[in-house]
C-alpha cells in the first residue's frame, strides 16, 4: 500500500516540477512533415527562444491584452502583466497549446469570453492565480490535468463545472473566499482522478462534502473547521497527506477513531486547540501537533498497539511506523517519556 502511494505521489510531484518538455520531445511527438509548415514569427512584445521554438515568453511586459499566438506554440507564459480579458481572437491559430500561465494579471470572470477556454482542446495546465476571479471559470477544457486558481476572490463554484474533468489530478483553490455553502455534495463530481485538492486559506467551518475518492493530498489549513465528522475519511480511503493546521479543532471535535486511518502517513494538526494527542494509526509516519494546548504525553495511551507488542522485536512488521513527532509550542516539559520511545521504535526526530 505504502509503495503504491509513494509511486503515485512521485508522479504528481514530477508533474508539478516539470515546467517544460525538451525540444527533442517536441520534435519526436510532432510530425516532421508538418513541422516545416509552422510560421516562426514571434509577437514583437514577446521572446521566442531559438532553442525552444514551441515556447512563447510574454511575461513581465506590461501587456494589457494577449498577443496573437503562433500555431507552433505549446507553452505560453503571460504572467505578471496587466491583462484584463481573455478572448478567442489571439488563440485562433494556437491549436497545440498545452500550457498557459496567466498568473498575476487583472482577469475577471466577465473578462473571459464565453467558451474561449473550452475551445483549447489540448490544454493540460491552466494557471490563473493572483487574478480577480469571483468564481471558477466555465466551461473548461475537458483534458485539463492541473487547474490553479489560488489567491483570487472566488466565492462561487458553478454547478457541474468539474463534471467532465476526468483527467484533472490537481485543483488549487487556496486563499479565496469560499464558504461552506459553496461546496455542495456534487461540487467535485466527475474528478475521478484527482490526487491533490487544496482549499486552504478560505472561510470553511466544516469539512468539505464529497471529496473525490482517489484524493491523496487534502490541504485545509487556515480555515475555521471545528469538527471532523464520524467516519469522514472512509469516503476517501487513499488520503495520505492531510493538513489541518490553523483551524479550531478541539478534543470534542474529533471522534474516537477520527484519525485512526491506515492510509494517512502525514498528519498535520498544528495551531489548533487540542489538549491531548488524538488516537492515531500504526501506519502514520509524520505527526505535527505543535502549538496546541497539550500539557502531557503518555506513550501507553497514544500507542496504536499495546506496549507489550511494541516491545517484541520479532513483530517488526506491526511496529508503529511513526518517524517524526512535533510537539513544540505546547505545555509539555522535557524529557520525553520513555514509553514514547518504547512504542515508537522507528522515531528519528521528536521536537518538544
Amino acid at each position: 500500500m505504502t509503495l503504491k502511494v509513494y509511486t503515485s505521489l512521485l508522479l504528481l510531484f514530477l508533474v508539478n516540477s516539470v515546467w517544460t518538455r525538451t525540444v527533442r520531445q517536441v520534435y519526436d511527438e510532432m510530425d516532421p512533415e508538418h513541422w516545416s509548415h509552422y510560421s516562426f514569427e514571434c509577437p514583437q512584445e514577446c521572446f521566442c527562444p531559438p532553442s525552444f521554438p514551441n515556447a512563447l515568453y510574454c511575461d513581465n511586459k506590461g501587456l494589457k491584452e494577449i498577443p496573437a499566438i503562433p500555431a507552433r506554440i505549446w507553452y505560453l507564459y503571460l504572467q505578471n502583466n496587466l491583462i484584463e480579458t481573455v478572448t478567442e481572437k489571439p488563440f485562433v491559430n494556437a491549436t497545440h497549446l498545452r500550457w498557459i500561465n496567466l498568473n498575476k494579471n487583472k482577469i475577471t470572470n466577465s473578462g473571459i469570453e464565453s467558451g474561449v477556454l473550452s475551445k483549447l482542446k489540448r490544454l493540460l495546465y491552466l494557471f490563473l492565480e493572483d487574478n480577480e476571479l469571483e468564481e471558477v471559470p466555465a466551461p473548461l477544457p475537458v483534458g485539463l490535468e492541473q487547474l490553479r486558481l489560488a489567491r483570487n476572490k472566488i466565492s462561487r463554484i458553478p454547478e457541474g463545472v468539474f463534471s467532465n474533468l476526468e483527467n484533472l489530478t490537481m485543483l488549487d483553490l487556496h486563499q479565496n473566499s469560499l464558504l461552506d455553502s459553496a461546496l455542495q455534495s456534487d461540487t467535485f463530481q466527475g474528478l475521478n482522478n484527482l490526487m491533490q485538492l487544496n482549499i486552504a486559506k478560505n472561510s470553511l467551518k466544516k469539512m468539505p462534502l464529497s471529496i473525490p475518492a482517489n484524493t491523496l493530498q487534502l490541504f485545509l489549513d487556515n480555515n475555521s473547521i471545528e469538527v471532523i465528522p464520524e467516519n469522514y475519511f472512509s469516503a476517501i480511503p487513499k488520503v495520505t497527506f492531510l493538513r489541518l493546521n490553523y483551524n479550531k479543532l478541539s478534543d470534542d471535535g474529533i471522534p474516537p477513531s477520527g484519525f485512526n486511518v491506515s492510509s494517512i502517513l502525514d498528519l498535520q494538526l498544528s495551531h489548533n486547540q487540542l489538549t491531548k494527542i488524538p488516537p492515531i494509526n500504526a501506519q502514520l509516519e509524520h505527526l505535527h501537533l505543535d502549538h496546541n494546548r497539550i500539557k502531557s504525553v503518555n506513550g501507553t495511551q497514544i500507542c496504536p498497539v499495546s506496549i507489550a507488542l511494541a516491545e517484541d522485536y520479532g513483530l517488526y512488521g506491526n511496529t508503529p511506523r511513526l518517524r517524526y513527532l512535533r510537539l513544540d509550542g505546547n505545555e509539555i516539559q522535557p524529557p520525553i517519556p520513555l514509553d514514547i520511545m518504547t512504542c515508537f521504535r522507528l522515531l528519528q526526530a521528536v521536537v518538544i
Side-chain angles (χ1 to χ4, degrees):
M1 170 63 185
T2 301
L3 179 58
K4 290 181 179 179
V5 168
Y6 277 132
T7 301
S8 299
L9 291 173
L10 177 59
L11 290 174
L12 179 61
F13 293 148
L14 288 174
V15 168
N16 286 341
S17 62
V18 175
W19 285 79
T20 57
R21 298 185 184 183
T22 64
V23 176
R24 179 63 186 168
Q25 285 175 306
V26 174
Y27 279 101
D28 286 346
E29 292 185 37
M30 295 192 71
D31 188 342
E33 294 183 3
H34 293 119
W35 181 259
S36 61
H37 295 295
Y38 283 88
S39 169
F40 279 79
E41 63 186 16
C42 184
Q44 63 179 2
E45 309 96 325
C46 307
F47 171 62
C48 301
S51 61
F52 197 7
N54 66 325
L56 182 61
Y57 291 86
C58 308
D59 52 308
N60 296 287
K61 302 293 185 181
L63 299 180
K64 293 186 177 181
E65 59 183 32
I66 300 172
I69 310 303
R72 70 178 188 276
I73 299 304
W74 285 33
Y75 304 98
L76 178 58
Y77 298 88
L78 289 161
Q79 66 269 28
N80 292 300
N81 281 295
L82 303 171
I83 297 169
E84 296 181 358
T85 60
V86 181
T87 61
E88 184 177 348
K89 185 177 178 181
F91 300 103
V92 169
N93 296 318
T95 57
H96 290 86
L97 277 175
R98 297 325 199 244
W99 178 297
I100 299 178
N101 189 333
L102 277 162
N103 291 345
K104 296 187 177 179
N105 279 282
K106 297 181 179 297
I107 299 168
T108 62
N109 288 94
S110 61
I112 301 177
E113 186 175 337
S114 179
V116 62
L117 297 175
S118 61
K119 292 178 181 178
L120 301 173
K121 302 296 185 182
R122 300 190 183 186
L123 197 66
L124 301 178
Y125 308 103
L126 177 58
F127 298 171
L128 281 164
E129 298 179 341
D130 295 284
N131 278 280
E132 298 179 13
L133 299 173
E134 295 184 351
E135 63 181 54
V136 175
L140 292 163
V142 296
L144 272 187
E145 294 182 4
Q146 288 193 21
L147 178 59
R148 303 190 185 214
L149 299 169
R151 294 178 298 278
N152 277 275
K153 303 173 182 178
I154 296 173
S155 61
R156 181 175 177 270
I157 301 178
E159 184 177 356
V161 67
F162 302 127
S163 60
N164 294 320
L165 303 187
E166 293 187 359
N167 295 327
L168 200 71
T169 59
M170 197 269 274
L171 175 59
D172 190 345
L173 288 162
H174 88 268
Q175 200 165 332
N176 277 285
S177 303
L178 292 171
L179 300 171
D180 295 318
S181 58
L183 305 180
Q184 300 299 314
S185 59
D186 59 351
T187 295
F188 301 112
Q189 185 175 343
L191 298 179
N192 299 327
N193 289 296
L194 195 71
M195 298 173 68
Q196 183 185 107
L197 178 59
N198 191 341
I199 326 179
K201 295 187 177 182
N202 278 278
S203 300
L204 304 181
K205 294 182 178 181
K206 300 177 182 179
M207 294 293 285
L209 301 171
S210 301
I211 300 298
N214 286 319
T215 302
L216 297 175
Q217 300 177 330
L218 179 59
F219 304 149
L220 292 164
D221 315 74
N222 293 89
N223 280 284
S224 299
I225 296 170
E226 299 178 355
V227 175
I228 306 294
E230 189 80 37
N231 300 319
Y232 180 84
F233 299 105
S234 62
I236 42 176
K238 298 181 180 180
V239 64
T240 304
F241 289 83
L242 178 62
R243 291 195 338 217
L244 280 159
N245 304 319
Y246 291 95
N247 275 283
K248 297 182 179 181
L249 289 171
S250 64
D251 302 328
D252 293 337
I254 300 175
S257 298
F259 296 119
N260 188 4
V261 181
S262 62
S263 65
I264 299 178
L265 303 182
D266 191 297
L267 176 59
Q268 300 190 19
L269 297 168
S270 305
H271 295 272
N272 277 279
Q273 300 171 12
L274 302 175
T275 64
K276 59 184 179 181
I277 297 177
I280 59 175
N281 192 272
Q283 301 301 313
L284 187 67
E285 296 184 1
H286 295 84
L287 178 58
H288 298 247
L289 285 165
D290 54 286
H291 298 91
N292 276 274
R293 301 173 182 175
I294 301 170
K295 295 183 178 181
S296 62
V297 182
N298 186 315
T300 302
Q301 291 179 355
I302 69 171
C303 191
V305 299
S306 71
I307 291 291
L309 185 61
E311 287 181 315
D312 191 337
Y313 285 100
L315 295 177
Y316 182 82
N318 294 324
T319 298
R321 311 299 294 176
L322 195 67
R323 289 171 165 78
Y324 179 87
L325 176 60
R326 184 171 177 183
L327 291 166
D328 56 304
N330 284 283
E331 301 176 32
I332 303 169
Q333 298 297 321
I336 300 168
L338 180 60
D339 54 4
I340 293 286
M341 308 309 296
T342 301
C343 174
F344 302 108
R345 293 182 173 271
L346 301 180
L347 263 177
Q348 298 175 355
V350 180
V351 184
I352 192 169

